[in-house]
Amino acid sequence: MMPLDPFAGDPNDPASFIEDDEVAEPLSPQERVDVTRDLAQVREFKAVLGPRGILGIYFTCEDCDQLHYYDWEIMEQNMLSSLRGELPPVHEPSAQPNVDAYVPWDYALGYLDGLDAR
Ligand SMILES: [Zn+2]
């Protein structure tokens, strides 16, 4: 006898989530401007802070109230997805981040401002 599919008849069958019928909300013109600006910012952070050993940004997630750590590349990809009208991957923090190598967004901004002020 075949083992029963544990999710047979279950509307929450994980496989049903694989079908992507979720459609991303198109960005408003203002959001597009914001994301484009953030993307340029992230690329600058990556260029300036990356060589100094800073791998990315951390912030407190509004959904789960925990700190999330995002590499520059992941942030860049998420923003590019948004601009293409795709849903960015929701939770893709680095698995075992070296927490010392991540800074808050504002810190990264301040760091660049400091460099500009020289
Ligand atoms: Zn979260």
Side-chain angles (χ1 to χ4, degrees), residues 67-117:
L67 289 180
H68 285 338
Y69 299 85
Y70 287 97
D71 291 354
W72 304 125
E73 288 76 12
I74 292 176
M75 300 195 66
E76 205 177 338
Q77 290 312 315
N78 284 356
M79 290 171 185
L80 287 171
S81 301
S82 300
L83 288 175
R84 282 196 302 258
E86 296 164 6
L87 284 177
V90 182
H91 273 103
E92 209 179 297
S94 307
Q96 301 243 298
N98 169 13
V99 297
D100 293 334
Y102 295 79
V103 297
W105 183 271
D106 287 346
Y107 175 94
L109 265 186
Y111 197 100
L112 288 195
D113 283 350
L115 289 181
D116 289 345

Short mmCIF file of all heavy atoms in Angstrom, two decimals, residues 67-117:
data_model
loop_
_atom_site.label_atom_id
_atom_site.label_comp_id
_atom_site.label_asym_id
_atom_site.label_seq_id
_atom_site.Cartn_x
_atom_site.Cartn_y
_atom_site.Cartn_z
N LEU A 67 15.89 40.94 13.97
CA LEU A 67 16.88 41.57 13.10
C LEU A 67 17.09 40.70 11.88
O LEU A 67 17.23 39.48 11.99
CB LEU A 67 18.20 41.75 13.85
CG LEU A 67 18.21 42.82 14.95
CD1 LEU A 67 19.58 42.87 15.60
CD2 LEU A 67 17.84 44.18 14.40
N HIS A 68 17.10 41.32 10.72
CA HIS A 68 17.42 40.61 9.49
C HIS A 68 18.69 41.20 8.90
O HIS A 68 18.90 42.40 8.94
CB HIS A 68 16.29 40.74 8.47
CG HIS A 68 15.10 39.90 8.79
ND1 HIS A 68 15.16 38.79 9.59
CD2 HIS A 68 13.81 40.00 8.41
CE1 HIS A 68 13.97 38.25 9.69
NE2 HIS A 68 13.12 38.96 9.00
N TYR A 69 19.49 40.33 8.34
CA TYR A 69 20.77 40.74 7.75
C TYR A 69 20.72 40.48 6.26
O TYR A 69 20.44 39.36 5.83
CB TYR A 69 21.92 39.94 8.38
CG TYR A 69 22.03 40.18 9.87
CD1 TYR A 69 21.25 39.46 10.76
CD2 TYR A 69 22.90 41.15 10.37
CE1 TYR A 69 21.33 39.68 12.12
CE2 TYR A 69 22.99 41.39 11.74
CZ TYR A 69 22.20 40.65 12.61
OH TYR A 69 22.27 40.88 13.95
N TYR A 70 20.97 41.52 5.48
CA TYR A 70 20.90 41.38 4.03
C TYR A 70 22.21 41.81 3.40
O TYR A 70 22.69 42.92 3.63
CB TYR A 70 19.76 42.25 3.45
CG TYR A 70 18.40 41.69 3.75
CD1 TYR A 70 17.67 42.16 4.82
CD2 TYR A 70 17.87 40.67 2.96
CE1 TYR A 70 16.41 41.63 5.10
CE2 TYR A 70 16.62 40.15 3.23
CZ TYR A 70 15.89 40.63 4.30
OH TYR A 70 14.67 40.11 4.58
N ASP A 71 22.74 40.91 2.57
CA ASP A 71 23.95 41.26 1.81
C ASP A 71 23.59 42.31 0.76
O ASP A 71 22.46 42.39 0.30
CB ASP A 71 24.50 40.02 1.09
CG ASP A 71 25.06 39.02 2.08
OD1 ASP A 71 25.12 39.34 3.29
OD2 ASP A 71 25.43 37.92 1.64
N TRP A 72 24.60 43.07 0.36
CA TRP A 72 24.38 44.09 -0.69
C TRP A 72 23.74 43.46 -1.91
O TRP A 72 22.82 44.01 -2.50
CB TRP A 72 25.71 44.74 -1.09
CG TRP A 72 26.49 45.35 0.03
CD1 TRP A 72 27.79 45.07 0.36
CD2 TRP A 72 26.06 46.36 0.97
NE1 TRP A 72 28.17 45.84 1.44
CE2 TRP A 72 27.14 46.63 1.83
CE3 TRP A 72 24.87 47.04 1.14
CZ2 TRP A 72 27.05 47.56 2.86
CZ3 TRP A 72 24.77 47.96 2.17
CH2 TRP A 72 25.86 48.22 3.01
N GLU A 73 24.26 42.27 -2.31
CA GLU A 73 23.77 41.63 -3.54
C GLU A 73 22.28 41.30 -3.41
O GLU A 73 21.52 41.47 -4.36
CB GLU A 73 24.55 40.33 -3.82
CG GLU A 73 25.97 40.54 -4.30
CD GLU A 73 26.92 40.94 -3.18
OE1 GLU A 73 26.53 40.84 -1.99
OE2 GLU A 73 28.04 41.39 -3.48
N ILE A 74 21.88 40.81 -2.21
CA ILE A 74 20.48 40.43 -2.04
C ILE A 74 19.58 41.66 -2.11
O ILE A 74 18.53 41.64 -2.75
CB ILE A 74 20.30 39.69 -0.70
CG1 ILE A 74 21.00 38.33 -0.76
CG2 ILE A 74 18.82 39.52 -0.36
CD1 ILE A 74 20.96 37.55 0.55
N MET A 75 20.03 42.74 -1.48
CA MET A 75 19.23 43.96 -1.52
C MET A 75 19.09 44.46 -2.95
O MET A 75 18.03 44.88 -3.40
CB MET A 75 19.88 45.04 -0.65
CG MET A 75 20.00 44.60 0.78
SD MET A 75 20.36 45.98 1.87
CE MET A 75 18.87 46.94 1.73
N GLU A 76 20.23 44.41 -3.66
CA GLU A 76 20.24 44.85 -5.05
C GLU A 76 19.24 44.02 -5.87
O GLU A 76 18.44 44.58 -6.63
CB GLU A 76 21.66 44.66 -5.59
CG GLU A 76 22.03 45.54 -6.74
CD GLU A 76 23.49 45.33 -7.16
OE1 GLU A 76 24.31 44.84 -6.35
OE2 GLU A 76 23.79 45.64 -8.31
N GLN A 77 19.28 42.70 -5.69
CA GLN A 77 18.38 41.83 -6.45
C GLN A 77 16.93 42.09 -6.09
O GLN A 77 16.05 42.11 -6.96
CB GLN A 77 18.72 40.35 -6.19
CG GLN A 77 20.04 39.90 -6.81
CD GLN A 77 20.20 40.32 -8.26
OE1 GLN A 77 19.27 40.18 -9.06
NE2 GLN A 77 21.35 40.87 -8.62
N ASN A 78 16.65 42.28 -4.79
CA ASN A 78 15.27 42.56 -4.36
C ASN A 78 14.74 43.83 -5.01
O ASN A 78 13.60 43.88 -5.47
CB ASN A 78 15.21 42.72 -2.84
CG ASN A 78 15.28 41.39 -2.12
OD1 ASN A 78 15.31 40.34 -2.75
ND2 ASN A 78 15.31 41.43 -0.81
N MET A 79 15.59 44.85 -5.05
CA MET A 79 15.15 46.12 -5.63
C MET A 79 14.96 46.00 -7.13
O MET A 79 14.00 46.55 -7.68
CB MET A 79 16.16 47.22 -5.30
CG MET A 79 16.15 47.58 -3.82
SD MET A 79 17.51 48.67 -3.39
CE MET A 79 17.25 48.75 -1.60
N LEU A 80 15.85 45.26 -7.78
CA LEU A 80 15.68 45.05 -9.22
C LEU A 80 14.39 44.30 -9.50
O LEU A 80 13.67 44.61 -10.45
CB LEU A 80 16.89 44.28 -9.79
CG LEU A 80 18.17 45.11 -9.90
CD1 LEU A 80 19.35 44.22 -10.24
CD2 LEU A 80 18.03 46.22 -10.93
N SER A 81 14.05 43.31 -8.64
CA SER A 81 12.79 42.58 -8.79
C SER A 81 11.62 43.53 -8.69
O SER A 81 10.68 43.48 -9.49
CB SER A 81 12.64 41.50 -7.72
OG SER A 81 13.68 40.59 -7.75
N SER A 82 11.66 44.42 -7.69
CA SER A 82 10.57 45.38 -7.51
C SER A 82 10.41 46.24 -8.75
O SER A 82 9.30 46.47 -9.22
CB SER A 82 10.84 46.29 -6.31
OG SER A 82 10.95 45.55 -5.13
N LEU A 83 11.53 46.70 -9.29
CA LEU A 83 11.47 47.57 -10.46
C LEU A 83 10.92 46.83 -11.68
O LEU A 83 10.29 47.42 -12.54
CB LEU A 83 12.85 48.15 -10.78
CG LEU A 83 13.36 49.20 -9.79
CD1 LEU A 83 14.79 49.59 -10.13
CD2 LEU A 83 12.47 50.42 -9.78
N ARG A 84 11.17 45.51 -11.72
CA ARG A 84 10.65 44.72 -12.84
C ARG A 84 9.21 44.32 -12.62
O ARG A 84 8.62 43.64 -13.44
CB ARG A 84 11.49 43.45 -13.02
CG ARG A 84 12.82 43.68 -13.72
CD ARG A 84 13.42 42.36 -14.20
NE ARG A 84 13.61 41.44 -13.10
CZ ARG A 84 14.79 41.22 -12.52
NH1 ARG A 84 15.85 41.84 -12.94
NH2 ARG A 84 14.89 40.37 -11.53
N GLY A 85 8.65 44.71 -11.47
CA GLY A 85 7.27 44.35 -11.16
C GLY A 85 7.12 42.93 -10.68
O GLY A 85 6.05 42.35 -10.74
N GLU A 86 8.22 42.35 -10.17
CA GLU A 86 8.14 41.00 -9.62
C GLU A 86 8.11 41.09 -8.11
O GLU A 86 8.57 42.06 -7.52
CB GLU A 86 9.37 40.19 -10.05
CG GLU A 86 9.44 39.97 -11.55
CD GLU A 86 10.84 39.52 -11.97
OE1 GLU A 86 11.67 39.26 -11.08
OE2 GLU A 86 11.09 39.45 -13.18
N LEU A 87 7.58 40.04 -7.49
CA LEU A 87 7.60 39.98 -6.04
C LEU A 87 9.00 39.61 -5.58
O LEU A 87 9.51 38.57 -5.99
CB LEU A 87 6.62 38.92 -5.54
CG LEU A 87 5.15 39.28 -5.57
CD1 LEU A 87 4.34 38.08 -5.09
CD2 LEU A 87 4.85 40.48 -4.70
N PRO A 88 9.61 40.44 -4.77
CA PRO A 88 10.91 40.03 -4.26
C PRO A 88 10.73 38.87 -3.30
O PRO A 88 9.68 38.74 -2.69
CB PRO A 88 11.42 41.27 -3.53
CG PRO A 88 10.22 42.12 -3.28
CD PRO A 88 9.16 41.72 -4.27
N PRO A 89 11.75 38.03 -3.17
CA PRO A 89 11.68 36.96 -2.17
C PRO A 89 11.47 37.59 -0.80
O PRO A 89 12.17 38.54 -0.46
CB PRO A 89 13.04 36.27 -2.27
CG PRO A 89 13.85 37.04 -3.23
CD PRO A 89 13.01 38.09 -3.88
N VAL A 90 10.52 37.10 -0.05
CA VAL A 90 10.13 37.80 1.17
C VAL A 90 11.22 37.74 2.23
O VAL A 90 11.71 38.75 2.69
CB VAL A 90 8.82 37.23 1.73
CG1 VAL A 90 8.43 38.00 2.98
CG2 VAL A 90 7.73 37.32 0.69
N HIS A 91 11.58 36.54 2.61
CA HIS A 91 12.57 36.39 3.67
C HIS A 91 13.77 35.65 3.16
O HIS A 91 13.72 34.45 2.99
CB HIS A 91 11.99 35.63 4.86
CG HIS A 91 11.30 36.52 5.82
ND1 HIS A 91 9.95 36.62 5.89
CD2 HIS A 91 11.79 37.37 6.74
CE1 HIS A 91 9.63 37.49 6.83
NE2 HIS A 91 10.72 37.97 7.36
N GLU A 92 14.82 36.38 2.91
CA GLU A 92 16.01 35.69 2.46
C GLU A 92 17.24 36.23 3.16
O GLU A 92 18.20 36.63 2.53
CB GLU A 92 16.15 35.83 0.94
CG GLU A 92 16.87 34.66 0.32
CD GLU A 92 16.96 34.84 -1.18
OE1 GLU A 92 15.91 34.88 -1.83
OE2 GLU A 92 18.09 34.95 -1.68
N PRO A 93 17.15 36.29 4.49
CA PRO A 93 18.35 36.78 5.19
C PRO A 93 19.46 35.74 5.09
O PRO A 93 19.19 34.57 4.86
CB PRO A 93 17.89 36.92 6.64
CG PRO A 93 16.45 36.54 6.68
CD PRO A 93 16.13 35.82 5.40
N SER A 94 20.69 36.20 5.25
CA SER A 94 21.80 35.27 5.29
C SER A 94 21.60 34.29 6.45
O SER A 94 21.13 34.67 7.51
CB SER A 94 23.10 36.02 5.48
OG SER A 94 23.22 37.03 4.50
N ALA A 95 21.95 33.05 6.23
CA ALA A 95 21.66 32.01 7.20
C ALA A 95 22.42 32.24 8.51
O ALA A 95 21.83 32.30 9.59
CB ALA A 95 22.00 30.65 6.63
N GLN A 96 23.72 32.33 8.43
CA GLN A 96 24.53 32.50 9.63
C GLN A 96 25.38 33.74 9.47
O GLN A 96 26.59 33.64 9.25
CB GLN A 96 25.43 31.28 9.82
CG GLN A 96 24.66 29.99 9.95
CD GLN A 96 24.87 29.36 11.29
OE1 GLN A 96 25.98 29.00 11.65
NE2 GLN A 96 23.81 29.25 12.07
N PRO A 97 24.76 34.89 9.56
CA PRO A 97 25.52 36.10 9.25
C PRO A 97 26.59 36.38 10.29
O PRO A 97 26.40 36.08 11.47
CB PRO A 97 24.44 37.19 9.27
CG PRO A 97 23.38 36.67 10.18
CD PRO A 97 23.40 35.18 10.01
N ASN A 98 27.68 36.93 9.85
CA ASN A 98 28.66 37.49 10.76
C ASN A 98 28.13 38.87 11.14
O ASN A 98 28.29 39.83 10.40
CB ASN A 98 30.02 37.58 10.06
CG ASN A 98 31.01 38.40 10.87
OD1 ASN A 98 30.77 38.69 12.04
ND2 ASN A 98 32.11 38.75 10.26
N VAL A 99 27.46 38.92 12.30
CA VAL A 99 26.67 40.12 12.62
C VAL A 99 27.52 41.38 12.70
O VAL A 99 27.01 42.49 12.57
CB VAL A 99 25.87 39.94 13.93
CG1 VAL A 99 24.85 38.82 13.76
CG2 VAL A 99 26.79 39.67 15.10
N ASP A 100 28.82 41.22 12.92
CA ASP A 100 29.69 42.39 13.00
C ASP A 100 29.92 43.03 11.64
O ASP A 100 30.42 44.15 11.55
CB ASP A 100 31.05 42.00 13.59
CG ASP A 100 30.92 41.58 15.03
OD1 ASP A 100 29.96 42.03 15.70
OD2 ASP A 100 31.76 40.79 15.49
N ALA A 101 29.56 42.30 10.58
CA ALA A 101 29.85 42.79 9.24
C ALA A 101 28.65 43.50 8.61
O ALA A 101 28.67 43.84 7.44
CB ALA A 101 30.29 41.64 8.35
N TYR A 102 27.59 43.73 9.43
CA TYR A 102 26.41 44.40 8.91
C TYR A 102 26.14 45.67 9.71
O TYR A 102 26.40 45.72 10.90
CB TYR A 102 25.19 43.47 8.97
CG TYR A 102 25.34 42.27 8.07
CD1 TYR A 102 26.12 41.20 8.47
CD2 TYR A 102 24.74 42.22 6.82
CE1 TYR A 102 26.30 40.09 7.65
CE2 TYR A 102 24.90 41.13 6.00
CZ TYR A 102 25.68 40.07 6.41
OH TYR A 102 25.86 38.99 5.60
N VAL A 103 25.63 46.68 9.02
CA VAL A 103 25.37 47.97 9.67
C VAL A 103 23.94 48.41 9.34
O VAL A 103 23.38 47.97 8.34
CB VAL A 103 26.37 49.05 9.22
CG1 VAL A 103 27.78 48.67 9.62
CG2 VAL A 103 26.27 49.28 7.72
N PRO A 104 23.36 49.28 10.16
CA PRO A 104 22.05 49.83 9.80
C PRO A 104 22.18 50.76 8.60
O PRO A 104 23.24 51.33 8.36
CB PRO A 104 21.62 50.64 11.04
CG PRO A 104 22.56 50.25 12.13
CD PRO A 104 23.82 49.79 11.47
N TRP A 105 21.09 50.88 7.86
CA TRP A 105 21.05 51.74 6.67
C TRP A 105 21.58 53.15 6.99
O TRP A 105 22.40 53.70 6.26
CB TRP A 105 19.61 51.80 6.16
CG TRP A 105 19.44 52.59 4.90
CD1 TRP A 105 19.20 53.93 4.79
CD2 TRP A 105 19.50 52.09 3.55
NE1 TRP A 105 19.11 54.29 3.47
CE2 TRP A 105 19.27 53.19 2.69
CE3 TRP A 105 19.71 50.82 2.99
CZ2 TRP A 105 19.26 53.05 1.29
CZ3 TRP A 105 19.70 50.70 1.61
CH2 TRP A 105 19.48 51.79 0.78
N ASP A 106 21.09 53.71 8.10
CA ASP A 106 21.47 55.08 8.44
C ASP A 106 22.97 55.21 8.70
O ASP A 106 23.57 56.24 8.42
CB ASP A 106 20.70 55.57 9.68
CG ASP A 106 19.24 55.85 9.33
OD1 ASP A 106 18.92 55.92 8.14
OD2 ASP A 106 18.43 55.98 10.27
N TYR A 107 23.54 54.15 9.27
CA TYR A 107 24.97 54.17 9.51
C TYR A 107 25.72 54.23 8.18
O TYR A 107 26.68 55.00 8.02
CB TYR A 107 25.39 52.93 10.29
CG TYR A 107 26.89 52.81 10.48
CD1 TYR A 107 27.51 53.30 11.63
CD2 TYR A 107 27.69 52.20 9.51
CE1 TYR A 107 28.88 53.21 11.80
CE2 TYR A 107 29.05 52.11 9.66
CZ TYR A 107 29.65 52.61 10.80
OH TYR A 107 31.00 52.52 10.96
N ALA A 108 25.27 53.41 7.23
CA ALA A 108 25.91 53.39 5.92
C ALA A 108 25.81 54.76 5.25
O ALA A 108 26.78 55.27 4.68
CB ALA A 108 25.29 52.30 5.04
N LEU A 109 24.61 55.35 5.36
CA LEU A 109 24.42 56.70 4.80
C LEU A 109 25.37 57.69 5.44
O LEU A 109 26.03 58.49 4.77
CB LEU A 109 22.98 57.16 5.06
CG LEU A 109 21.93 56.97 3.99
CD1 LEU A 109 20.63 57.65 4.44
CD2 LEU A 109 22.39 57.51 2.66
N GLY A 110 25.43 57.65 6.78
CA GLY A 110 26.29 58.57 7.51
C GLY A 110 27.76 58.39 7.14
O GLY A 110 28.52 59.34 7.05
N TYR A 111 28.12 57.13 6.91
CA TYR A 111 29.51 56.83 6.54
C TYR A 111 29.86 57.50 5.22
O TYR A 111 30.90 58.14 5.08
CB TYR A 111 29.66 55.31 6.41
CG TYR A 111 31.12 54.88 6.45
CD1 TYR A 111 31.67 54.37 7.61
CD2 TYR A 111 31.91 54.96 5.31
CE1 TYR A 111 32.99 53.97 7.66
CE2 TYR A 111 33.24 54.57 5.34
CZ TYR A 111 33.77 54.07 6.52
OH TYR A 111 35.07 53.69 6.56
N LEU A 112 28.95 57.39 4.25
CA LEU A 112 29.20 58.03 2.94
C LEU A 112 29.24 59.54 3.08
O LEU A 112 30.07 60.22 2.46
CB LEU A 112 28.13 57.62 1.93
CG LEU A 112 28.17 56.19 1.41
CD1 LEU A 112 27.30 56.07 0.17
CD2 LEU A 112 29.57 55.73 1.11
N ASP A 113 28.31 60.07 3.90
CA ASP A 113 28.31 61.52 4.13
C ASP A 113 29.64 61.96 4.70
O ASP A 113 30.20 62.98 4.30
CB ASP A 113 27.20 61.91 5.10
CG ASP A 113 25.83 61.91 4.42
OD1 ASP A 113 25.80 61.80 3.18
OD2 ASP A 113 24.82 62.02 5.12
N GLY A 114 30.17 61.16 5.65
CA GLY A 114 31.46 61.48 6.26
C GLY A 114 32.57 61.52 5.22
O GLY A 114 33.43 62.39 5.26
N LEU A 115 32.53 60.57 4.29
CA LEU A 115 33.56 60.54 3.24
C LEU A 115 33.43 61.77 2.35
O LEU A 115 34.42 62.37 1.97
CB LEU A 115 33.41 59.28 2.39
CG LEU A 115 33.79 57.96 3.04
CD1 LEU A 115 33.58 56.83 2.04
CD2 LEU A 115 35.21 57.97 3.54
N ASP A 116 32.18 62.14 2.03
CA ASP A 116 31.97 63.29 1.16
C ASP A 116 32.44 64.58 1.80
O ASP A 116 32.83 65.51 1.12
CB ASP A 116 30.46 63.43 0.82
CG ASP A 116 30.01 62.32 -0.12
OD1 ASP A 116 30.88 61.67 -0.72
OD2 ASP A 116 28.79 62.12 -0.26
N ALA A 117 32.39 64.60 3.15
CA ALA A 117 32.70 65.83 3.86
C ALA A 117 34.21 66.10 3.90
O ALA A 117 34.62 67.18 4.25
CB ALA A 117 32.15 65.77 5.29
#
